[in-house]
Amino acid sequence: MTDKCACDRPIGVLDSGMGGISTLKALVAELPHENFIYYGDDKNAPYGLKTAEEVRVLTENAVVFLLERGAKAIVIACNTATGAAATYLREKYTDIPIIGAEPAIKPAVSYRHRSKILVMATPLTLSTERFGRLADSVKGDCDIIGLPCHGLVELVEAGKTEGDEVDKTLHGLLDRYVGRIDSVVLGCTHYPFLSKAISAIVGENVPLFDGNRGIAAETRRRLETEHIISDRREDGNVLFETSAGDADTLRIARRLLGT
Ligand code: DGL
């Protein structure tokens, strides 16, 4: 895929819903001249409460949707979908770069050795073998505490990133860790939209790590290696597609991209 046409084609970005927009923001910042098609499978969110097989099927449907619209590379902007489907998809779609998302444990380990790292993620992400392998391979002398976070994806999907309902849900999840952790990994792409509310609870001195800048840098690297990076000089654009397809969802998506 080294032809000029491939360079001009969009990058496909997918998530169960709106969470991947936090990744999309990093991608647009890193690759401002690229066009993007963002697919949010809002109708089927949250993925984190489904089985790995259900998520694999839904993720492949999203990839096919994006390939049919000419995507030159796929970014799975969802930790849950990456855990359930990335290996399978990379084996099946060998002629297209597929970049995945995984909880940013490594930067948290580098931040402080012998520390306690709280990994907020969906129940499915935390239950995958992939997560266990990742944690074991990078944790060194740190303690990794996995926290399945029920309810957060639903709040972001409804466009709620602050306020009483957000605070109440986060207090229920986080209060028992206050003062007992050194850093937090936001292991779901929905959670960066809740960063302010999370920091207000765990303390501003506790750093939050997400993988979005790493994903954007890796996407650039893959486009360069495959010689499919755009040589356009003007800014690219973003096209939103959602399985829910209603005006409200698109309005929330655009607002989240702008925040
Ligand atoms: N944004 C997805 C992730 O990174 C959320 C999963 C969900 O829909 O539960 O895991």
Side-chain angles (χ1 to χ4, degrees):
M1 282 227 250
T2 56
D3 56 303
K4 178 98 167 58
C5 283
C7 301
D8 290 341
R9 280 164 27 203
I11 297 169
V13 182
L14 69 92
D15 180 46
S16 63
M18 314 266 188
I21 296 172
S22 70
T23 312
L24 180 63
K25 282 165 82 163
L27 286 162
V28 170
E30 175 73 31
L31 298 160
H33 305 299
E34 296 288 343
N35 288 334
F36 294 91
I37 307 185
Y38 182 89
Y39 180 77
D41 190 10
D42 313 73
K43 206 170 72 181
N44 293 302
Y47 279 5
L49 302 177
K50 296 186 173 359
T51 66
E53 178 57 15
E54 286 169 331
V55 174
R56 188 189 63 70
V57 171
L58 291 170
T59 307
E60 182 166 17
N61 291 345
V63 168
V64 170
F65 177 94
L66 291 167
L67 292 178
E68 283 172 358
R69 278 148 191 83
K72 64 180 175 183
I74 300 288
V75 178
I76 307 175
C78 176
N79 296 260
T80 310
T82 300
T87 305
Y88 165 82
L89 292 168
R90 286 182 183 130
E91 278 167 11
K92 184 159 173 186
Y93 300 89
T94 49
D95 58 348
I96 187 145
I98 298 179
I99 296 99
E102 60 186 18
I105 300 175
K106 216 172 171 179
V109 170
S110 308
Y111 161 71
R112 187 168 292 166
H113 290 278
R114 282 190 288 281
S115 65
K116 288 194 172 26
I117 301 169
L118 186 71
V119 182
M120 299 172 70
T122 68
L124 182 55
T125 293
L126 294 173
S127 72
T128 56
E129 248 180 62
R130 190 186 180 97
F131 177 80
R133 273 201 312 271
L134 170 73
D136 286 346
S137 67
V138 301
K139 72 178 183 188
D141 52 14
C142 293
D143 279 347
I144 308 291
I145 307 156
L147 176 64
C149 293
H150 293 267
L152 298 185
V153 169
E154 291 87 336
L155 287 170
V156 176
E157 287 299 302
K160 295 176 185 167
T161 54
E162 55 184 18
D164 291 348
E165 203 181 337
V166 168
D167 291 342
K168 191 167 168 245
T169 309
L170 285 172
H171 275 293
L173 291 165
L174 295 171
D175 277 359
R176 64 186 184 282
Y177 298 105
V178 174
R180 298 171 52 204
I181 49 170
D182 299 287
S183 63
V184 175
V185 172
L186 305 178
C188 166
T189 53
H190 282 72
Y191 304 165
F193 291 116
L194 304 170
S195 293
K196 255 197 218 155
I198 293 170
S199 282
I201 295 172
V202 297
E204 300 291 339
N205 57 328
V206 175
L208 311 182
F209 294 96
D210 70 61
N212 286 333
R213 279 171 56 191
I215 295 168
E218 173 64 6
T219 304
R220 167 183 282 284
R221 196 187 67 73
R222 292 297 304 276
L223 295 181
E224 284 172 350
T225 312
E226 309 281 334
H227 306 292
I228 53 172
I229 195 158
S230 172
D231 53 11
R232 206 176 290 118
R233 283 166 186 266
E234 67 274 22
D235 282 353
N237 53 49
V238 174
L239 177 69
F240 281 112
E241 300 275 1
T242 74
S243 55
D246 60 312
D248 246 17
T249 309
L250 286 172
R251 185 181 50 74
I252 296 170
R254 292 209 179 88
R255 181 171 70 73
L256 291 174
L257 185 62
T259 54

